[in-house]
Amino acid sequence: STIVKALMGLYTLDAGERYAETRTQGRIPLTSRLQRLFAYVPQGNTILCGTIASNLLLANPKATEEEMIAALEDACAWDFVKELPGDLYAVIGEGGQGLSEGQAQRIAIARALMRKAPVLLLDEVTSALDQATEQKVLDNLMRRGVTCITATHRTSALNLCSRVYRVRSGGVELLSDSEVKKLLDPDQA
């Protein structure tokens, strides 16, 4: 969570640097000017009082209903949203009152998808989802072709990751494929 927030510029660094490594331009410092490249879904509930549509439009005020539905589908939220009175225009309370925590998480993911940013920063965003729904949401995100940086304590998402880093003992380490396999299934490694 701390690393994700540092990437977003929400924390000031005492030491070190924040940068993106690109194929064409090398290292580019991550300044506020580059914030548009990220869509951030924080840990906890970030749903505001209003309609589901108004929550989604915060990320892209010019979005069409079709774009909102597509984002909800990829976040595995459309199936329950279309059953609500008014579907996209169903009114929900502050903090997602009227929704389960898992439903609120999926609305927050859909809102991040509405930004159409090339990088999604996800902080424990599937913690309230069952494993099958989590897998489907993550599969859908992968199909969108965006880069996902995920902070999670749940190992079930790791099999979709091309690289896995672990924060431990004040440092960050890149895990080998065998270390990731051990995390996923300690009996098989």
Side-chain angles (χ1 to χ4, degrees):
S1 296
T2 301
I3 291 172
V4 170
K5 289 175 183 172
L7 284 172
M8 287 294 301
L10 300 175
Y11 290 156
T12 303
L13 301 179
D14 292 334
E17 57 186 310
R18 294 178 308 134
Y19 62 87
E21 184 95 22
T22 69
R23 290 185 182 111
T24 57
Q25 298 176 339
R27 285 187 180 184
I28 299 172
L30 289 177
T31 62
S32 58
R33 182 177 66 84
L34 296 178
Q35 296 268 332
R36 66 183 178 356
L37 300 175
F38 298 100
Y40 174 49
V41 184
Q43 188 175 32
N45 198 323
T46 58
I47 304 300
L48 303 176
C49 181
T51 66
I52 290 174
S54 67
N55 272 273
L56 298 176
L57 292 171
L58 288 170
N60 183 353
K62 296 180 181 178
T64 65
E65 284 188 1
E66 291 78 20
E67 289 171 312
M68 288 188 276
I69 290 169
L72 289 165
E73 286 173 339
D74 282 349
C76 297
W78 179 240
D79 284 346
F80 73 81
V81 169
K82 70 182 178 186
E83 299 300 322
L84 296 172
D87 55 63
L88 282 173
Y89 302 97
V91 176
I92 50 179
E94 191 70 31
Q97 185 178 9
L99 300 175
S100 71
E101 183 65 25
Q103 289 171 331
Q105 283 181 331
R106 288 179 276 167
I107 297 293
I109 292 167
R111 182 175 54 221
L113 293 174
M114 297 295 297
R115 280 192 48 129
K116 299 181 182 176
V119 180
L120 287 177
L121 298 173
L122 309 173
D123 190 359
E124 296 286 358
V125 299
T126 60
S127 62
L129 303 182
D130 62 79
Q131 193 169 359
T133 304
E134 175 189 46
Q135 189 70 40
K136 188 172 180 187
V137 168
L138 295 173
D139 285 342
N140 291 344
L141 296 178
M142 298 299 288
R143 271 199 305 283
R144 276 188 172 243
V146 296
T147 298
C148 292
I149 299 173
T150 303
T152 185
H153 288 91
R154 294 174 74 174
T155 59
S156 54
L158 300 182
N159 61 353
L160 292 172
C161 298
S162 59
R163 282 175 281 217
V164 176
Y165 295 88
R166 177 173 40 201
V167 177
R168 184 166 67 176
S169 303
V172 179
E173 61 182 330
L174 174 63
L175 298 183
S176 68
D177 289 343
S178 62
E179 290 171 309
V180 173
K181 286 179 186 175
K182 187 175 180 181
L183 286 173
L184 291 170
D185 190 358
D187 295 331
Q188 298 294 339

